[in-house]
Amino acid sequence: SHIRHAWDPTKSVAQNLAEMGLAEDPNKAVPIPKKKLLGIELESDGREQGRKIVRKPYVVNEMEYEASLPEKKSNTLSRDLIDYVRYMIQNHGENYKEMARDEKNYYQDTPKQIKRKINVYKNFYAEEYKDFIASLKQEKMDVQ
């Protein structure tokens, strides 16, 4: 978006990028080191890059700032997995062997796999899990 706002449609791509301090061709922007071949120095590019004037440095500064921001962690579980785990806990409690034999166990998870999925759910949604268990206990007390 920063490039789009600073773009001048009357200029070429190379001129626009040069004004922003960006490279049109990354192969030319990052020089390839000189190689020695049998004592003879060869320069791979063969020409010297002239110093270019950057007229819109704020574009690069804004892009660098945006890149330096910490990434937001969006670790969530799928709705299907949450529903699956809640169904299993609601119908079988802590009996993982019984959960493995349940007809809703479409992927034929082993008891250990089901236990792992439940633990992942507990870690991601600790408060929601506590509320869910409390509501299950309340239902059992109401039935009795």
Side-chain angles (χ1 to χ4, degrees):
S1 67
H2 304 295
I3 294 172
R4 188 177 302 119
H5 293 299
W7 196 266
D8 185 2
T10 61
K11 296 182 180 176
S12 70
V13 173
Q15 289 172 334
N16 271 309
L17 292 176
E19 282 184 356
M20 292 178 213
L22 300 173
E24 176 190 12
D25 185 4
N27 294 324
K28 293 178 184 173
V30 180
I32 299 172
K34 295 179 183 180
K35 296 180 182 178
K36 288 189 176 184
L37 182 66
L38 299 173
I40 304 169
E41 280 192 19
L42 296 175
E43 200 169 316
S44 53
D45 194 0
R47 60 185 174 148
E48 193 173 306
Q49 294 287 329
R51 220 34 213 154
K52 295 183 180 173
I53 299 171
V54 179
R55 294 194 177 127
K56 300 178 184 176
Y58 61 89
V59 174
V60 174
N61 294 338
E62 289 170 356
M63 290 173 62
E64 286 176 349
Y65 172 74
E66 226 174 74
S68 69
L69 292 175
E71 189 175 323
K72 293 180 182 177
K73 292 187 178 181
S74 60
N75 295 338
T76 58
L77 299 177
S78 70
R79 189 75 234 165
D80 292 336
L81 181 62
I82 292 171
D83 293 340
Y84 172 76
V85 167
R86 292 181 76 140
Y87 169 81
M88 289 298 187
I89 294 172
Q90 190 171 9
N91 291 330
H92 305 290
E94 295 284 322
N95 191 343
Y96 301 110
K97 288 184 180 180
E98 205 174 297
M99 290 180 193
R101 288 189 292 257
D102 193 287
E103 63 183 17
K104 293 266 185 171
N105 185 7
Y106 301 126
Y107 297 110
Q108 297 181 352
D109 292 329
T110 63
K112 278 188 175 184
Q113 289 172 322
I114 295 172
K115 184 175 183 178
R116 199 173 307 126
K117 286 181 181 183
I118 291 173
N119 286 335
V120 167
Y121 174 74
K122 285 179 188 178
N123 292 335
F124 274 79
Y125 302 102
E127 292 298 320
E128 187 178 313
Y129 176 76
K130 287 177 187 173
D131 295 340
F132 178 63
I133 296 299
S135 69
L136 287 178
K137 288 180 182 175
Q138 186 65 32
E139 285 177 17
K140 285 183 183 178
M141 291 177 72
D142 290 345
V143 169
Q144 291 175 354

